[in-house]
Amino acid sequence: MNLKLISSLFLGLFLILNLQAQPVKKHGNLSVKGTQLTDEHGNATVLNGISYGWHNWWPRFYNKESVKWLATDWKCSAVRAAMGIEPNGGYISKPDWSKEKIEAVIDGAIESDIYVLIDWHSHGLKLAEAKVFFAEMATKYGKNPHVIYELYNEPVKDSWQQVKDYSIELIKTIRAIDPDNVILVGSPHWDQDIHLVADDPIVGFSNIMYTCHFYAGTHGKSLRDRCDYAIKKGCPIFISESAGMEASGNGPINYTEWQNWIDWCESNKISLISWSIADKNETCSMLTPKASSEGNWKEADMKESGIKTRELLRKQAEKSN
Ligand code: MG
């Protein structure tokens, strides 16, 4: 081999390795084509990553260093900053402190070149407050390809009509400032009733997706059937929260059903975010109380769900490259 050939091989290898670690450099601005999340080059794109736990209860993990660890060691292409709204210490009672925490994760994601979901982690409608918040986020971050807005974590009692009206108001607010970044809309009844959304979707706006959440110990084939129905009707789905145990966040991990969901997401090219970075004594919290706040987690710092989710993410990253 001549020197020129060797050097171009090295350059090629360098570029491939470089792109592997930099999802946003690789995919750029995201959009929604039909039901598919799509990158700047027109390719179907899947994001896989981790949700932080409620910022009001686990603020210690909301920092750039932990984002960097999730990007580099766990191979996340996205993280979700879950800004608690109603509880003590949430956005309603401590707006400035809450934004500081959320922005640490957003800024960390931008630095680590991964996507980030700005999640209004609420279970009830708070339109006026959400409008102020998302207008601020769109103004500050709307030019960044990294950012995805999630308008309403999990509606509980609201009808789809109520969630739809709320979402349209927020979409108008965001679109007046940021014309293009992807917006995620919640589905009624803990993000389960995606079939109701599919029967009466929001029209007239681009780059909108709808969230479905699953906990594999509780939700199986019947929820996937609903999702299949929704996709057939043209409804773009994003799984912004999920895990292997029961919907309470506790109980044993149902590995068979969890794998069914992972396979389903893979074959339908659907993005998958797992819950959560927290150290509570429950199955879904991935870390132990001894785990550092800034990443660098060893196996002893992770609980079963953390170890298994990290394995999953590393496999998914390998396949997507
Ligand atoms: Mg934009």
Side-chain angles (χ1 to χ4, degrees), residues 29 138 141-145 147 149 175 177-182:
N29 288 299
Y141 293 108
K143 287 198 171 70
N144 284 289
V147 165
Y149 309 98
R175 284 292 178 254
I177 303 161
D178 173 4
D180 50 10
N181 283 47
V182 171

Side-chain angles (χ1 to χ4, degrees), residues 254-273:
N254 182 335
Y255 281 103
T256 308
E257 205 53 72
W258 194 18
Q259 191 60 49
N260 288 340
W261 274 106
I262 292 161
D263 295 343
W264 181 87
C265 286
E266 196 180 319
S267 64
N268 288 286
K269 293 193 162 59
I270 287 183
S271 298
L272 181 63
I273 305 290

Side-chain angles (χ1 to χ4, degrees), residues 36-50:
Q36 183 60 56
L37 185 66
T38 305
D39 75 6
E40 199 170 294
H41 317 291
N43 300 316
T45 303
V46 174
L47 302 181
N48 290 304
I50 292 284

Side-chain angles (χ1 to χ4, degrees), residues 16-31:
I16 288 165
L17 290 173
N18 209 26
L19 288 177
Q20 276 180 350
Q22 297 182 295
V24 181
K25 280 218 168 62
K26 182 176 172 185
H27 297 294
N29 288 299
L30 301 175
S31 63

